[in-house]
Amino acid sequence: MYPWHETFHMGLIHFMAYPNAKSEEEILSTVKRVLTDEFFQAIEVSALVEENTLKKIGKMCEVAKVELLIAAQPLVLSKKLNLNSLNEEERKLAVNEIKKAVEKAYVSNAKAIAFLSGKMPEKEQLGGAKERLVESLCEICDYAKERSKEFGYTLAVNLEVFDYSIEKNALVGPAPIAFEIASKVRSFHDNFGLTIDLSHQPLLFEDPFYTLNLLSPFITHVHVGNAVLETNHVAYGDQHPRFGISGGKNDVEELTYFLKALVKIGYFERKLSTEKPIISFEVKPLPDEDPDLVVANAKRTFLTAYAKLLKEV
C-alpha cells in the first residue's frame, strides 16, 4: 500500500500516456496495464472512445476497484468545439457534443467528466463570450443532473484551466477569469468544479500558490505533468513531456511545491463525487520514447516529491 491510499487516489490519463492505442484491442490492453498496477486507483479515458468500449472499460474498472473518469478534452479539441461561441448554432453544437459525452460517462459508470472552454476571443467580445460559457456550462450541469435520476448518482462536471496565449488559447484561461466563471456556475450547480493542471502553470505564467489559493473553492480535480516554454524545443507548448526533460519547467521541486499548495487549500480533505480526491499524471511520450518508461518516470518523480512533502509539512 502506498502512503496516500487513505488520503487521495492517483490516476493516469490513458490517452496521453498511450497515444498510439487506437483500436479497441490496443485501448483495452493498455487500460488493463494501468488497472493491474496498484500504484493507480483512477484512470481517465478519452470521450472519443466508442461507447461499447467504454462500457467494457467501466466493467474492468469495477473489477479492479479503480475509479473511472471521462476526458472530453480530446473531443473539444478534435472537433474544434466552442462552448463560448457568440454564434448560437456553434455554441449549441458544442453543448450537444458534451452532453453525448456525459451520456457515455454515465453508461460506463464514470464519476466525473472534464473538458475545456472555447478559444480566447478578441477583447471586445470577451464579456459576451464569458456569458455564453456560463450558459453552456449551466446547460451541461443541468443535463448531468437530469440523467442522474436513471443512474443513481450525479456526474461531476469539471472545466479544465488551459493556457490562453501559447497553444490551446482557451478563454479559461487566466485564474481571474476561471474564478469569475466558476463563481457564477457554482452559484447554480453544486456538481460543477475546476480541473487544475501543474503542466499548465508555466504556460499561464502563474504561481501555483496564487492559482490554487484563488481558485480553491472550486477545485475538484487535479492533473500533474510538465511543460516546455523554449520555442525551438520538440515538446514546446502544451505537450506534457516527461518530468525532468531538458528544457522542461517541472520536476521534483516544482511537483513538491504544487503538492504543498494543494495541502494548504485542503484539497485532500474534500468530499467529492469520486471516492477520494484525485491527482492524475498527464504525461506523453515523445515519438522515440517508450510509454511505459515515461509512466515509470512520473511514478518515481511523484514518490520522491511526496517523500519531500511529508518531511516539509
Side-chain angles (χ1 to χ4, degrees):
M1 177 184 245
Y2 290 95
W4 57 81
H5 279 197
E6 292 298 318
T7 309
F8 61 92
H9 282 171
M10 282 301 309
L12 181 70
I13 300 176
H14 167 265
F15 61 90
M16 291 295 289
Y18 299 99
N20 296 323
K22 302 297 184 183
S23 69
E24 179 179 79
E25 182 181 1
E26 292 168 336
I27 291 170
L28 294 180
S29 173
T30 47
V31 165
K32 182 180 177 181
R33 201 178 303 173
V34 179
L35 301 188
T36 54
D37 184 346
E38 66 177 9
F39 192 94
F40 298 111
Q41 301 83 50
I43 187 170
E44 302 188 29
V45 178
S46 171
L48 293 174
V49 173
E50 293 294 330
E51 185 172 303
N52 285 337
T53 306
L54 280 174
K55 287 180 181 179
K56 293 178 183 179
I57 293 172
K59 179 60 177 179
M60 292 167 68
C61 288
E62 179 186 348
V63 173
K65 208 170 184 182
V66 170
E67 299 200 76
L68 174 63
L69 295 85
I70 298 300
Q73 297 92 332
L75 173 68
V76 172
L77 294 169
S78 64
K79 295 194 174 186
K80 296 181 171 58
L81 303 179
N82 189 351
L83 290 167
N84 44 265
S85 176
L86 298 182
N87 180 307
E88 184 61 10
E89 185 176 335
E90 189 175 77
R91 188 192 71 81
K92 275 292 187 185
L93 172 65
V95 169
N96 288 335
E97 287 291 331
I98 299 297
K99 285 181 178 179
K100 292 177 186 177
V102 166
E103 197 67 26
K104 280 185 172 183
Y106 271 123
V107 298
S108 59
N109 200 35
K111 295 302 185 291
I113 187 170
F115 48 88
L116 66 153
S117 70
K119 297 287 187 181
M120 175 69 78
E122 297 296 327
K123 187 175 181 180
E124 61 272 15
Q125 297 179 322
L126 182 58
K130 289 190 286 189
E131 290 176 4
R132 297 289 81 74
L133 180 57
V134 169
E135 183 179 353
S136 296
L137 293 171
C138 286
E139 287 184 41
I140 294 165
C141 289
D142 272 332
Y143 184 75
K145 285 186 176 179
E146 287 172 15
R147 300 301 288 133
S148 70
K149 298 169 186 174
E150 178 180 344
F151 294 95
Y153 70 94
T154 301
L155 184 77
V157 175
N158 295 319
L159 182 70
E160 183 169 1
V161 176
F162 271 76
D163 74 88
Y164 61 92
S165 63
I166 300 293
E167 183 177 323
K168 299 304 191 292
N169 303 309
L171 171 58
V172 179
I177 291 181
F179 182 89
E180 180 183 353
I181 298 297
S183 297
K184 291 178 179 177
V185 179
R186 180 66 75 78
S187 67
F188 298 104
H189 299 285
D190 59 5
N191 60 327
F192 176 78
L194 295 174
T195 298
I196 302 298
D197 189 342
L198 171 61
S199 310
H200 297 156
Q201 290 297 289
L203 307 179
L204 288 160
F205 308 102
E206 292 177 356
D207 180 88
F209 264 85
Y210 160 75
T211 302
L212 293 176
N213 188 59
L214 176 63
L215 301 180
S216 175
F218 314 111
I219 297 173
T220 50
H221 185 209
V222 171
H223 291 168
V224 293
N226 198 5
V228 173
L229 286 175
E230 297 177 3
T231 55
N232 61 344
H233 196 291
V234 64
Y236 169 71
D238 188 31
Q239 295 302 306
H240 301 277
R242 56 187 161 83
F243 286 104
I245 193 171
S246 177
K249 304 300 290 186
N250 294 331
D251 203 352
V252 171
E253 293 301 325
E254 290 76 17
L255 180 53
T256 305
Y257 184 75
F258 186 74
L259 292 173
K260 287 172 68 175
L262 288 173
V263 170
K264 182 179 179 182
I265 67 168
Y267 176 69
F268 301 117
E269 285 78 51
R270 296 185 177 175
K271 300 298 181 184
L272 303 172
S273 64
T274 48
E275 184 182 340
K276 287 184 170 63
I278 288 173
I279 300 178
S280 290
F281 290 135
E282 187 161 12
V283 289
K284 182 180 180 182
L286 295 177
D288 62 343
E289 293 179 343
D290 184 313
D292 291 334
L293 297 182
V294 172
V295 173
N297 166 304
K299 290 161 67 175
R300 289 190 177 100
T301 303
F302 190 87
L303 286 169
T304 305
Y306 194 73
K308 288 174 63 65
L309 174 72
L310 293 180
K311 290 180 180 178
E312 297 177 12
V313 297

